[in-house]
């Protein structure tokens, strides 16, 4: 088990609160996170070529709640050079001090309308945030017909819920429903002066992809072992759905703001 206490104290840069430093955003973050955790793992050979393993973790996050997250897996070796493996696991992420701490905020400027008029966007903390949760499945194999070389691949699927998102001024101006506490300030001419919102639990995501690894090891007399690894990852899909049912596919793009 473990106990962890994290503190955050990031005061604002002087003069950024009045806009005297061009190009430097205003921010102030303070808060604390206390986490107590217990975890256990067991591995059991079921057959000569099949083994199972299981793990469990219990996290108590002060002012957030308690979460139990399991993990189970298997490893099957039908042929000596080939091993097939798979896992199922659940995850948990508590809101961090910047997202949940009292009176935290980040502010910057953007051209929100495309006419060159700079508006302020402001992201504030939210003490009522819920933890993010996830479920993940992996299936893969390793193949090592040579003693010094081999390759492996893993297909994976990830589902996240209660995702915590910062302010998206463009979505808010477009009328998206995922920011119920958003505020928009305009002048008499209709220019957007400010868009602000606290962090919100307002989306869920489904991702899947594949990871590939190629490795080679060679003994070097008098020095030990020289190892080389080549890793390649491919994100096939990243579908993020916000409250209100709007879904975006981020694979192949710069991703969420």
């Amino acid at each position: 088990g473990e106990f962890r206490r994290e503190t955050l104290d990031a005061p604002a840069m002087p003069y950024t609160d009045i806009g005297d430093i061009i190009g430097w955003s205003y921010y102030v973050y303070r808060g604390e996170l206390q986490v107590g955790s217990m975890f256990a793992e067991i591995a059991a050979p079921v057959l000569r070529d099949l083994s199972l393993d299981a793990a469990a973790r219990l996290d108590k996050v002060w002012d957030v709640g308690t979460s139990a997250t399991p993990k189970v897996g298997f490893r099957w070796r039908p042929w000596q050079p080939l091993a097939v493996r798979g896992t199922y696991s659940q995850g948990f992420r508590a809101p961090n001090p910047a997202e949940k701490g009292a009176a935290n905020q980040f502010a910057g400027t953007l051209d929100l309308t495309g006419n060159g008029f700079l508006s302020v966007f402001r992201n504030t903390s939210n003490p009522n945030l819920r933890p993010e949760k996830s479920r993940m499945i992996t299936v893969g194999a390793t193949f090592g017909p040579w003693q010094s070389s081999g390759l492996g691949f893993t297909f994976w699927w990830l589902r996240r819920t209660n995702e915590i998102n910062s302010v998206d001024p463009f979505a808010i101006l477009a009328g998206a429903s995922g920011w119920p506490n958003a505020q928009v300030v305009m002048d008499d001419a209709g220019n957007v002066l400010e868009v602000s919102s606290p962090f919100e639990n307002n989306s869920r995501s489904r991702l899947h992809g594949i990871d590939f690894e190629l490795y080679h090891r060679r003994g070097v007399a008098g020095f030990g072992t020289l190892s080389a690894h080549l890793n390649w990852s491919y994100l096939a899909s990243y579908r993020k759905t916000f409250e209100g049912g709007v879904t975006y596919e981020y694979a192949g793009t710069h991703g969420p703001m």
Side-chain angles (χ1 to χ4, degrees):
E2 68 174 12
F3 175 79
R4 186 174 77 252
R5 179 175 179 265
E6 301 176 7
T7 60
L8 173 65
D9 186 8
M13 178 75 69
Y15 304 111
T16 55
D17 56 339
I18 55 176
D20 273 5
I21 301 180
I22 297 175
W24 197 286
S25 300
Y26 170 77
Y27 62 84
V28 56
Y29 295 126
R30 291 185 179 88
E32 180 180 282
L33 184 70
Q34 296 187 69
V35 184
S37 303
M38 296 180 64
F39 36 85
E41 183 175 4
I42 184 172
V46 179
L47 301 172
R48 186 181 64 179
D49 302 323
L50 176 65
S51 62
L52 304 177
D53 62 85
R57 183 182 181 100
L58 183 68
D59 292 290
K60 164 66 176 178
V61 183
W62 273 253
D63 299 326
V64 175
T66 303
S67 175
T69 50
K71 178 181 179 180
V72 294
F74 75 91
R75 183 180 180 88
W76 177 47
R77 189 180 290 276
W79 179 38
Q80 183 58 34
L82 177 66
V84 180
R85 62 181 188 266
T87 63
Y88 168 80
S89 60
Q90 296 181 7
F92 163 87
R93 186 185 80 83
N96 62 43
E99 297 164 337
K100 190 177 174 66
N104 291 341
Q105 63 173 292
F106 173 89
T109 56
L110 277 177
D111 180 2
L112 299 176
T113 57
N115 62 5
F117 186 90
L118 288 179
S119 309
V120 174
F121 69 95
R122 190 182 308 274
N123 201 122
T124 58
S125 55
N126 184 350
N128 299 314
L129 288 173
R130 304 185 305 277
E132 295 184 345
K133 296 188 176 182
S134 66
R135 297 171 183 263
M136 189 171 191
I137 296 174
T138 69
V139 177
T142 58
F143 183 57
W146 309 281
Q147 185 176 3
S148 60
S149 302
L151 57 88
F153 65 89
T154 303
F155 293 95
W156 56 267
W157 297 263
L158 173 64
R159 181 175 182 263
R160 293 195 303 236
T161 57
N162 288 345
E163 289 179 318
I164 299 171
N165 293 292
S166 59
V167 61
D168 186 335
F170 298 101
I172 292 170
L173 291 177
S177 60
W179 287 268
N181 299 304
Q183 297 183 351
V184 179
V185 179
M186 296 185 177
D187 63 16
D188 294 336
N191 294 309
V192 178
L193 301 179
E194 181 176 327
V195 178
S196 64
S197 174
F199 286 96
E200 298 284 0
N201 296 103
N202 61 0
S203 72
R204 62 186 187 275
S205 294
R206 289 180 179 270
L207 303 83
H208 69 268
I210 182 174
D211 297 331
F212 178 82
E213 179 187 17
L214 179 66
Y215 65 88
H216 179 73
R217 294 185 294 268
R218 177 178 292 274
V220 180
F223 291 95
T225 302
L226 180 65
S227 300
H229 291 259
L230 174 64
N231 295 282
W232 176 78
S233 296
Y234 176 68
L235 178 63
S237 178
Y238 180 175
R239 295 178 62 83
K240 191 179 185 78
T241 302
F242 288 90
E243 287 184 8
V246 180
T247 300
Y248 299 95
E249 173 59 78
Y250 290 119
T253 74
H254 289 293
M257 178 178 173

